[in-house]
Amino acid sequence: MSAASELEKIAREVAVCTKCDLCRSRTNTVPGEGSPTARVMFIGEAPGFHEDQQGRPFVGQSGQLLNKLLSTVNLQREQVFIANVVKCHPPQNLDPTPAQMAACKPYLDRQIEAINPRLIITLGRFSMARYWPGQRISQIHGQVKQADGRLYLPMFHPAAALRDRDRTLPMFKADGFKIPALLEQAEEIARNEIWGYPVESKPDPEPARPLAVAEAPAIFIETAQVAPEIQLEPDITPNAPGQPAVPVTIQENAPGPEKVPVKVKRPARINPAVAEPSGESLPGMAALPGEIAPGLSLAEASEGRTRPKTPAVPGKPRRKRPAIPGEQLSMW
Ligand code: URA
Ligand code: SF4
């Protein structure tokens, strides 16, 4: 079955679902929407009032902030898929209960399987708990993990960012700005999975054919005879001006910097960006702190190892989500 028809089938099942008590208070089900072939999937918590009215995810104020993020990172809503942990609106915006989340889980599992996104972005605590059970969002937001051949990025919920514009909103933005680079890296991981071995994203440049002395221009012969042999030592420091920002290092045991003996006419200033051997992970560049989820190495993650699942927030009293201050999103 195609992804599109499986998603339609799920939506039809959700529309008549009575597997938990939320079926009694909903106006419309909100199965999720977007491209069946989306490379990026966002997972929120539960539909709010406006989503319940319209049957569409993230159409209220949280949705406005999500839309802003999407346009900032050059993604259209139609290109991604947006889903929720539970598909029906909890009355009074109560947090979804473990029973409600468990009842609704098979729908989200099937959506993820049908779409098979390269990058899953969790928005808020409840979708985060699917992949980082027992962790705190304030501690792990923005830390990328690799598992099942894809990348996962935990982000604050947009509503939390809107409620705390001084502290949480800047973190929400900073985490969201990682999306384009992560997507590129996720595509690379997928290519490697398909081919079973690393596939070079850029072809190697043609090796230079050494000039026979007779072919070489006179000026080169003259200077080459006195040219010193120098080592290119790229002078790269993390986030030095002019260096591309690398938000996550996903390759373990990446090759170290190669020393490239080069003959030059005279000692020259070498552009380290040009001298960098592979163009992938920059030698000598440290990963930004805390980019890999604590407790799970990439090697472990890529072996498909996951930690035991535990309930999202065991034993926590249910909280009513506070309202978002109702002001225009002028602060982006
Ligand atoms: N918050 C969510 O988590 N999901 C929505 O669809 C809307 C608001
Ligand atoms: Fe069914 Fe999910 Fe809605 Fe509960 S929240 S009634 S499990 S669709």
Side-chain angles (χ1 to χ4, degrees), residues 14 16 46 48-49 82 91 106 122 154 179 181 198 210 218 256 277 297 308 310 331:
V14 164
V16 294
F49 173 82
I82 304 173
T122 59
I179 293 172
S297 78
T310 57
M331 69 296 154

Side-chain angles (χ1 to χ4, degrees), residues 25 40 44 63 80-81 100 115 127 143 148 180 207 214 227 249 273 277 280 282 287 293-294 299 330:
S25 49
V40 187
V80 303
F81 196 92
Q100 291 160 353
I115 297 164
S127 50
Q143 296 180 16
D148 310 325
T249 300
E280 290 177 13
L282 298 174
S330 54

Side-chain angles (χ1 to χ4, degrees), residues 71-92:
S71 65
T72 307
V73 298
N74 279 325
L75 284 171
Q76 288 161 358
R77 247 183 104 111
E78 304 73 45
Q79 285 179 288
V80 303
F81 196 92
I82 304 173
N84 280 304
V85 169
V86 295
K87 316 297 190 194
C88 302
H89 172 52
Q92 300 153 359

Side-chain angles (χ1 to χ4, degrees), residues 30 43-48 51 56-60 62-63 82-86 123 157-159 321:
V30 183
I43 307 176
E45 290 180 7
E51 289 76 19
R56 297 182 55 209
F58 283 96
V59 291
S62 292
I82 304 173
N84 280 304
V85 169
V86 295
L123 299 171
H157 194 283
R321 283 173 281 167

Side-chain angles (χ1 to χ4, degrees), residues 31-71:
E33 67 183 23
S35 164
T37 56
R39 295 176 306 152
V40 187
M41 181 166 181
F42 290 87
I43 307 176
E45 290 180 7
F49 173 82
H50 296 285
E51 289 76 19
D52 182 52
Q53 294 292 305
Q54 298 184 34
R56 297 182 55 209
F58 283 96
V59 291
Q61 280 195 306
S62 292
Q64 282 185 39
L65 182 56
L66 183 59
N67 290 348
K68 284 213 178 238
L69 174 64
L70 287 173
S71 65

Side-chain angles (χ1 to χ4, degrees), residues 281-306:
S281 57
L282 298 174
M285 177 176 269
L288 291 182
E291 290 293 347
I292 304 302
L296 191 66
S297 78
L298 279 174
E300 287 172 329
S302 55
E303 278 166 26
R305 280 172 57 184
T306 52

Side-chain angles (χ1 to χ4, degrees), residues 24 43 86 125 134 153 195 214 232 268:
R24 290 198 289 273
I43 307 176
V86 295
R125 295 175 292 140
L153 171 67
W195 292 99
L232 288 188

